Amino acid sequence: MYTGKTEKPCCLCDAPKVDHRIDLPPRAIQQLKHGDAIAWQDVVGEVSIYFCEHDWETVRDLVLETGMTPLPRCNVARASFDLREDFEAFTGRTREEPNQDPIEERFWRESKRVLGGDTEYPPSDRDLVQAHVVSWALSDLEASVAEPGAEPTSGE
């Protein structure tokens, strides 16, 4: 029976206790370890990856201090997402292929807002890490929302 999206173990070390999560647009699956086995176009909604406390410190430093993405080391088997086929199996009806543009636009806008400092309160490390990773992924994968050279800036 279909149970929906569930919390998964740490995408780096497989530790069952996770403390942090970042959400990504489906297109980012292509950058995850073993992501080529997933038809990202069939993902419904966002993709969530989870980190244990120890790995989160490494990811935070890697993104915020070094300017590198952790995605190639994150196992897609540990990502949480819904596939169109899951819904079809559960409901017994076929759905059209999801249009990923609206979710990518939402993630892009939110990343620009966070990195541009356009927030009511100072963004958390989690918000900053997610914003950087999302903007890098959408830019690298040439998503239509990410025009060349249009990567959100940090506002610093």
Side-chain angles (χ1 to χ4, degrees):
M1 177 194 279
Y2 173 74
T3 58
K5 230 170 96 168
T6 58
E7 187 174 284
K8 300 282 191 161
C10 178
C11 66
L12 293 172
C13 71
D14 205 28
K17 184 178 179 330
V18 292
D19 299 297
H20 300 277
R21 178 192 93 227
I22 63 172
D23 297 322
L24 307 166
R27 186 181 299 264
I29 284 177
Q30 298 173 89
Q31 292 189 333
L32 295 172
K33 184 177 182 181
H34 308 300
D36 55 336
I38 306 293
W40 67 268
Q41 298 91 336
D42 286 335
V43 172
V44 178
E46 74 274 345
V47 175
S48 298
I49 55 176
Y50 301 88
F51 301 96
C52 65
E53 186 64 38
H54 178 264
D55 285 342
W56 176 252
E57 291 175 22
T58 303
V59 167
R60 185 188 64 228
D61 292 345
L62 183 71
V63 172
L64 300 180
E65 294 179 18
T66 311
M68 296 176 64
T69 181
L71 294 184
R73 296 216 176 253
C74 297
N75 191 338
V76 75
R78 300 296 175 232
S80 182
F81 52 88
D82 289 327
L83 285 174
R84 178 171 59 123
E85 288 80 7
D86 291 340
F87 284 108
E88 291 171 358
F90 181 65
T91 62
R93 60 190 164 113
T94 302
R95 297 174 72 179
E96 292 182 27
E97 183 175 303
N99 178 1
Q100 302 295 356
D101 291 340
I103 195 167
E104 288 179 356
E105 288 172 11
R106 179 174 55 88
F107 271 98
W108 184 256
R109 266 193 326 272
E110 180 63 15
S111 293
K112 285 177 71 171
R113 189 178 68 73
V114 168
L115 295 176
D118 185 19
T119 57
E120 184 176 352
Y121 300 103
S124 66
D125 284 351
R126 181 220 173 264
D127 294 335
L128 290 169
V129 167
Q130 178 173 305
H132 280 295
V133 171
V134 164
S135 65
W136 294 334
L138 289 174
S139 293
D140 290 348
L141 295 168
E142 299 178 353
S144 62
V145 296
E147 299 169 10
E151 179 180 339
T153 59
S154 63
E156 298 176 294

